[in-house]
Amino acid sequence: MRQPTSLERRIDAGAHRFLADAPRSGARAVLVEVGVFLLKQAWACLFGASLLVVIVAARLWYPDDAALARNDFLTLAAIGIQVLMIATRLETGRELWVIVLFHLTGTVMELFKTDVGSWMYAADGVLRIGGVPLFSGFMYAAVGSYMVRVYRLFDLGFERYPRRWLTAVVAAAIYANFFTHHWWWDARWALLLAVVLLWARATLYARVWRAVLRIPLLAVFAGVALFIYLAENIATWAGAWAYPDQLDGWQPVSITKLVSWFLLMIISVVMVTFVYPPRPPTRVEKAREPRAARSA
């Protein structure tokens, strides 16, 4: 694990002791790798999952006539989660800076998108900027939190990663297009093609326990975008925000939003790479693909 917090060091040491005698081959070895993979993913999602649980709980149980508006409650809860994660060393100071950057870029987009009617929030509460409650920025921060945590937890390595200045140019164009497509040509499909061409040869190496997964990076982007899309459906059902076609009753978010989330993923990845520069996999990591776990 790269640059773990003090709590993560204790958890990692305990996991090594617990799994020291785990089998190196066979079905049980595969189950160990799957279990560790899922636990690491859950740990990486801690901030976003906690916020989503609060949003759903507020939908189910928060009283409509409460003195504190629900949006204000969600904002205070999001702040509380963030403070708790820093205070308990669940998150590093370096990660906090990335999350703040995600929060700021996300809030700017929210202000614009709500102004042009792309989606809207309930008009209650005082902790807001215009029509945007402040908890909305924490939803973008949740994506940033996942990105930086998964980078550390899986010791990510990259093969044939494109030059960072090129990725920054594409990411800036994607971010600009989220604004400009409202009054100019929508370049999302051209940008999607640029992403595919730029990252097509890139491969991700992720260390689980003994095995190291080797996955095309574009497939990873698509998988995370799908996960965020599913979380978005839960959040809109819970009333965190609504798209125009959901005002008369909730319905699943348009599947076309997957393209938007995929492109947003690119912005997220590029931002994180300027904090954690992509490193190539080591020779050991290249050798330790899933089959090699039998003899690792």
Side-chain angles (χ1 to χ4, degrees), residues 7 33 38 51 68 118 152 183 187 224 252 261 264 296:
L7 176 60
E33 296 293 337
L38 294 176
L51 183 57
L68 181 68
S118 296
R152 293 190 300 103
W183 61 81
V224 176
W261 281 117
L264 185 65

Side-chain angles (χ1 to χ4, degrees), residues 37-271:
F37 177 84
L38 294 176
L39 287 172
K40 282 188 174 184
Q41 286 288 345
W43 190 253
C45 292
L46 186 61
F47 183 91
S50 300
L51 183 57
L52 190 60
V53 166
V54 171
I55 289 172
V56 172
R59 159 67 186 266
L60 295 175
W61 298 299
Y62 198 77
D64 293 333
D65 57 352
L68 181 68
R70 188 174 72 160
N71 280 348
D72 289 346
F73 165 76
L74 292 176
T75 298
L76 295 176
I79 294 172
I81 293 170
Q82 184 66 83
V83 170
L84 184 64
M85 290 190 68
I86 293 295
T88 57
R89 305 294 178 87
L90 293 175
E91 205 163 64
T92 68
R94 197 176 194 181
E95 289 170 0
L96 179 61
W97 284 111
V98 177
I99 289 166
V100 169
L101 183 57
F102 272 80
H103 198 296
L104 293 174
T105 55
T107 298
V108 170
M109 186 183 297
E110 288 285 326
L111 288 168
F112 177 81
K113 290 292 190 178
T114 54
D115 186 63
V116 298
S118 296
W119 57 78
M120 61 285 299
Y121 293 89
D124 60 352
V126 296
L127 300 178
R128 59 173 50 246
I129 301 175
V132 179
L134 296 182
F135 80 83
S136 66
F138 285 97
M139 294 186 289
Y140 292 88
V143 176
S145 175
Y146 171 80
M147 289 290 183
V148 291
R149 290 165 68 82
V150 81
Y151 192 95
R152 293 190 300 103
L153 293 171
F154 287 92
D155 291 331
L156 298 186
F158 301 88
E159 195 170 47
R160 295 184 296 274
Y161 194 88
R163 295 183 181 276
R164 278 193 296 168
W165 72 267
L166 283 174
T167 67
V169 170
V170 172
I174 291 171
Y175 189 70
N177 189 68
F178 278 115
F179 297 86
T180 59
H181 81 85
H182 287 279
W183 61 81
W184 191 55
W185 174 57
D186 187 353
R188 73 180 64 192
W189 297 110
L191 291 168
L192 184 60
L193 177 60
V195 168
V196 171
L197 293 175
L198 196 57
W199 274 274
R201 298 176 63 248
T203 302
L204 178 141
Y205 286 75
R207 182 179 66 83
V208 185
W209 171 239
R210 292 190 178 110
V212 174
L213 300 179
R214 183 175 181 271
I215 315 169
L217 194 51
L218 286 176
V220 175
F221 292 164
V224 176
L226 177 61
F227 182 81
I228 297 173
Y229 170 77
L230 296 175
E232 180 184 38
N233 275 278
I234 296 172
T236 54
W237 170 84
W241 73 92
Y243 290 102
D245 61 354
Q246 295 175 325
L247 295 180
D248 295 329
W250 182 83
Q251 58 181 305
V253 177
S254 171
I255 196 68
T256 59
K257 286 292 180 182
L258 265 174
V259 176
S260 297
W261 281 117
F262 183 88
L263 292 174
L264 185 65
M265 276 291 305
I266 303 304
I267 300 173
S268 305
V269 168
V270 170
M271 289 170 65

